[in-house]
Amino acid sequence: MSAAHDKATEGLLPSSTEPTTRLSGCPVASENISITSGAQGANVLDDFQLIEKLAHFDRERIPERVVHAKGSGAFGELHITEDVSQYTRAALFQPGTVTPMLARFSTVAGEQGSPDHWRDVRGFALKFYTTEGNYDIVGNNTPVFFIRDGIKFPDFIHSQKRHPGTGLRSAEMQWDFWTRTPESAHQVTYLMGDRGRPRDFRHMDGFGSHTYQWQNADGDVFWVKYHFKTQQGWDYITDDEADTLTDTDHARADLYDAIDRGDYPRWDVKVQIMPVAEAEGYRWNPFDLTKTWSQKDYPLIPVGYFELNVNPRNFFAQIEQAAFSPSNLVPGIGFSPDRMLQARGFSYPDTQRYRLGANFEQIPVNRPTCPVHSYAQDGASTHFFNDSDQPVYSPNGSPRPAGYLDDGVTSSSGASYGPATDLYVNPSPHGEDLVRAAYVQHPEDDDFIQPGILVREVLDDAARERLAGNINAAMEGVSEELAQRVFTYWTNVDPDLGARVRELWES
């Protein structure tokens, strides 16, 4: 049995042919007839199965994710076929390594019951159960994002969700935010293009999107971006085709059915590598999430592939309760000065604590396969605990140590550990003061340059016409004043595209 199968069955209860019990194990007399005071009397408070059954039913649902609420996923394995050890010492990326994993795909703005075919960015989240701890890559099916600073994220999501008064999705709110936030232009170009409606989850690429750092065994560091290329072929659906779809769960069904019939989807894993010394002089800020690195400058380097081959045994337990966070790092992998990545490092585990409780990482689908040693204790749903002879604080006088840099005896008062190489190393010419400042501008750091390149040099005539049509369709209901800003927005991306959008709007 594969490691993916082992993880997919962790927490699975054995099948039973015995009469039912309450959650305490006590036998249940009847699941069908409640106890009343006489044949036509009131229910009695002492009918504990009735009370327990209803009380648990009333609590079956947990808060849905604020974003990426509608999702699907499966288990599988990451296979490393190439040697990238010159760039990273992370155990999961060493040649020949096979690592069990979980993937979750999702839409971004819609709620739990929203259609799979809405025009939206798709989430692409991967959890690797490595020998050194869980490593999560939480990305999308696009290589960029709408904003570059995490402080804007609540505002951005509010503009994409439902109007607080009408309870309806609002093109006015969406375009109002986008046109007042020019850094969004690159992502909105992707969104309004073919990638805004992928055929399904199997026929789309994925990206880590952010810039991360890899560290090799010699201590050398590199900036890295992840690319996940579908082996199934890249495909999309048009707006007209989406309007005819009646199955709102078609992408979820497609993924499940493909794995069920043994047609296991695969994605090639590739990376772009940038030497740290080249980051400062690169033409675009390499840590800006609204920018890509040109593949002409930094070609894709093959690493391996991952395959999804085990469906969840229980969707709620293993997909809805799956908790991803980019702060889950392993030795050999670090962060970067990407402000969105740093904000997500806090926000993701924080939202999981809200949804699932303080001990969400003890849930089987989130629990690492390697040993866990922590001074954390108590909280709701504590399933694993240390023995009573183990200290609950550090430092202490027992053989139980602290962090690998600590001496385990003192509180390290006055000690200096030097650079925090476990997070990232960034020899910076800008100083290390904490400031509120704009991104450092590079020679070509204009918000509209890259989307313009995408429109003119990547898309063909037919794709450009579809892009203009999709933009026009997405503008339905916006005010005349806002429409003028939308025209300016797209004219800044590409004058011909702006003119075509205006022509379609006015026709």
Side-chain angles (χ1 to χ4, degrees), residues 297-315:
D297 298 333
Y298 299 101
L300 295 180
I301 298 173
V303 177
Y305 69 91
F306 71 81
E307 176 184 275
L308 301 181
N309 48 31
V310 182
N311 275 319
R313 302 292 288 266
N314 183 281
F315 189 90

Side-chain angles (χ1 to χ4, degrees), residues 78 88 90-93 99-103 125-138 208-214 224-226 228 269 271 323-335 341 361 366-370 422:
L78 169 68
T88 180
L92 81 160
F93 289 127
T99 301
M101 63 171 290
L102 171 71
L126 309 176
K127 181 182 291 292
F128 302 101
Y129 304 100
T130 88
T131 57
E132 300 174 301
N134 288 352
Y135 177 48
D136 293 352
I137 300 176
V138 188
S209 301
H210 297 284
T211 298
Y212 293 87
Q213 187 168 91
W214 274 6
V224 61
K225 281 185 177 289
Y226 296 106
F228 308 104
V269 178
V271 294
F324 299 85
S325 173
S327 61
N328 285 340
L329 299 169
V330 293
I333 302 174
F335 265 25
L341 177 59
E361 287 169 312
N366 299 321
R367 186 162 175 79
T369 55
C370 67
D422 58 311

Side-chain angles (χ1 to χ4, degrees), residues 182-201:
E183 68 204 63
S184 68
H186 201 180
Q187 176 72 309
V188 178
T189 305
Y190 276 114
L191 175 63
M192 294 299 154
D194 295 338
R195 295 195 200 212
R197 288 194 196 270
R199 170 69 53 184
D200 49 56
F201 297 134

Side-chain angles (χ1 to χ4, degrees), residues 428-442:
S428 171
H430 304 292
E432 303 304 328
D433 293 334
L434 295 176
V435 297
R436 286 190 173 100
Y439 261 68
V440 175
Q441 293 290 298
H442 286 224

Side-chain angles (χ1 to χ4, degrees), residues 457-472:
E457 300 181 16
V458 178
L459 304 184
D460 58 23
D461 289 342
R464 282 191 286 268
E465 181 62 22
R466 289 194 300 273
L467 173 61
N470 295 337
I471 294 169
N472 179 63

Side-chain angles (χ1 to χ4, degrees), residues 249-278:
D249 295 324
H250 79 279
R252 177 178 290 182
D254 174 82
L255 178 65
Y256 188 95
D257 292 344
I259 294 173
D260 195 48
R261 65 175 179 265
D263 183 12
Y264 302 140
R266 285 186 175 184
W267 284 260
D268 292 318
V269 178
K270 300 183 178 184
V271 294
Q272 289 178 286
I273 296 290
M274 177 186 291
V276 167
E278 297 182 14

